[in-house]
Amino acid sequence: MHRLRSLVPSANYLFAFEAAARRKSFTAAAQELNVSQPAVSKTIRLLEEATGLKLFRREHTRLELTAEGQRLYKEVQESFDHLHMVISSLQRKHSSDIVRVSFSTSFVQLWLLPRLKDFKARHPDVSLRIEESSRDDQDLIEEDIDVSARLGNGKWTGIHAWHFVTEEVWPVCSPAYLAEHAPIERPSQLLGHTLLHFEERHRSRLGWHEWLERQAVPVGKLKQDFVFTDAVSSIEAAVFGQGIALGWKHLVHDHIKAGRLTCALPENYRSGQSIHIIMPAQRPPKRGAELFRDWLMEQGADDILFTDRKA
């Protein structure tokens, strides 16, 4: 047993302390650690009792470190950073041939998965680790990501970017839903239908309110019968005839081609922005990452054209 164990009975005490000291809040630390605020408070109390140190003091509504707490926080943070660096370095050395890619859940489920067999057939020697991310602002270097995608103008510091697909958003529904309701001839008539909403926590995307405004439809408060936390769920709900969803053209292409979805209207919205394939510029790319990027670019995602409701 390491002698530190006699002073700190559990490493969890240090993780809780580091989070509370960095965030200067037991509540914020609890949210980060996915535990309750009383649990963090109790853990800090146990750490103080085990070490005999007073680590925090409350200044009105603000949590502050004592002098002893500041010293311990500095040492704990440096120790954690060093361990992270060592373990990450060992992992990268062990898995240097694995290409780590990160995309939204909707991109993975609706676009990438149906096409992966083709990539593997072409490049059987390339191993992919596919991560689903809920953020647009990933640090590719910090998170050791080789290939990802990002919506914008393609100009980001420290990032190489390649245009993948222009942003075009269509109202889509199942053919059965369209057959069950009165014909939809203009965007304003969408207000009389069940609109499927989604609100992603860490990513800003076009919603129904904005889409209708861009079609010159005056919008007040929209009824929200269904609100999902990811675009993929709203699109799949549309496949099952639950209502009308907003569909990015590359995400709904396969459903429309297979007849599971159709365009509810010929009108769409073009933002002027594009989704780009991105790679970190600060390090040489892995051969497998370049092959995967080239394969993505060959797929012709921008060639999709929905000419009518039966496209």
Side-chain angles (χ1 to χ4, degrees):
M1 181 179 74
H2 195 283
R3 61 182 181 273
L4 178 61
R5 186 76 180 270
S6 64
L7 300 176
V8 182
S10 171
N12 285 336
Y13 290 8
L14 296 177
F15 284 112
F17 168 72
E18 189 276 340
R22 174 168 38 83
R23 304 294 294 274
K24 294 187 176 181
S25 166
F26 288 171
T27 300
Q31 292 173 343
E32 179 176 310
L33 298 171
N34 198 28
V35 298
S36 66
Q37 190 273 346
V40 170
S41 181
K42 180 181 178 180
T43 301
I44 298 301
R45 176 172 55 80
L46 291 174
L47 176 62
E48 290 180 328
E49 290 175 356
T51 59
L53 302 174
K54 181 67 175 176
L55 302 173
F56 291 96
R57 63 173 178 270
R58 291 194 177 276
E59 297 289 345
H60 302 293
T61 59
R62 186 175 177 83
L63 192 67
E64 296 288 347
L65 287 164
T66 64
E68 293 172 328
Q70 289 176 345
R71 171 71 186 278
L72 182 61
Y73 173 57
K74 179 177 180 295
E75 297 296 333
V76 167
Q77 191 176 50
E78 289 179 356
S79 297
F80 282 4
D81 288 345
H82 180 71
L83 283 171
H84 180 271
M85 180 191 68
V86 171
I87 294 172
S88 296
S89 176
L90 291 172
Q91 287 177 329
R92 284 193 292 271
K93 182 177 180 180
H94 182 68
S95 61
S96 60
D97 294 333
I98 296 177
V99 178
R100 298 187 62 186
V101 304
S102 177
F103 303 102
S104 69
T105 299
S106 55
F107 185 86
V108 171
Q109 303 263 350
L110 298 174
W111 193 91
L112 184 59
L113 289 183
R115 294 166 174 80
L116 270 180
K117 185 178 179 180
D118 177 71
F119 175 76
K120 195 62 179 176
R122 296 196 203 182
H123 307 290
D125 59 326
V126 177
S127 297
L128 296 179
R129 177 182 172 86
I130 302 169
E131 301 182 8
E132 297 180 12
S133 172
S134 60
R135 304 190 337 263
D136 275 339
D137 59 348
Q138 283 183 292
D139 187 322
L140 303 185
I141 293 294
E142 178 68 23
E143 300 183 41
D144 198 23
I145 300 298
D146 295 304
V147 184
S148 187
R150 185 174 295 181
L151 177 66
N153 61 12
K155 298 178 181 179
W156 298 286
T157 301
I159 288 177
H160 291 313
W162 295 265
H163 172 91
F164 180 67
V165 61
T166 53
E167 185 180 40
E168 294 183 28
V169 188
W170 301 73
V172 294
C173 61
S174 70
Y177 179 92
L178 205 59
E180 290 171 6
H181 296 80
I184 306 172
E185 302 295 341
R186 53 187 181 275
S188 60
Q189 292 177 315
L190 290 170
L191 297 175
H193 288 263
T194 300
L195 302 181
L196 303 170
H197 302 261
F198 75 94
E199 297 174 359
E200 297 185 359
R201 187 173 182 181
H202 302 296
R203 179 184 287 116
S204 178
R205 288 292 183 266
L206 184 80
W208 271 114
H209 197 282
E210 294 80 11
W211 191 93
L212 289 164
E213 282 188 338
R214 284 157 175 75
Q215 301 298 330
V217 178
V219 181
K221 185 176 181 180
L222 284 175
K223 186 179 180 182
Q224 295 185 323
D225 292 305
F226 300 106
V227 181
F228 301 93
T229 58
D230 192 276
V232 66
S233 297
S234 64
I235 292 171
E236 291 299 329
V239 170
F240 286 109
Q242 305 295 339
I244 304 175
L246 289 174
W248 278 251
K249 70 174 182 178
H250 63 295
L251 298 183
V252 298
H253 170 263
D254 291 352
H255 279 318
I256 288 181
K257 185 177 180 181
R260 293 184 293 266
L261 286 177
T262 186
C263 296
L265 279 168
E267 286 82 1
N268 72 346
Y269 169 67
R270 299 182 181 184
S271 69
Q273 298 192 100
S274 299
I275 293 170
H276 293 78
I277 301 302
I278 60 173
M279 297 173 68
Q282 298 97 321
R283 66 173 181 233
K286 299 173 184 174
R287 172 182 171 274
E290 291 183 309
L291 291 173
F292 184 66
R293 175 205 61 200
D294 293 344
W295 173 80
L296 288 171
M297 301 305 296
E298 290 172 8
Q299 301 307 303
D302 229 0
D303 297 336
I304 299 166
L305 179 64
F306 303 149
T307 56
D308 56 41
R309 298 182 185 181
K310 296 181 181 179

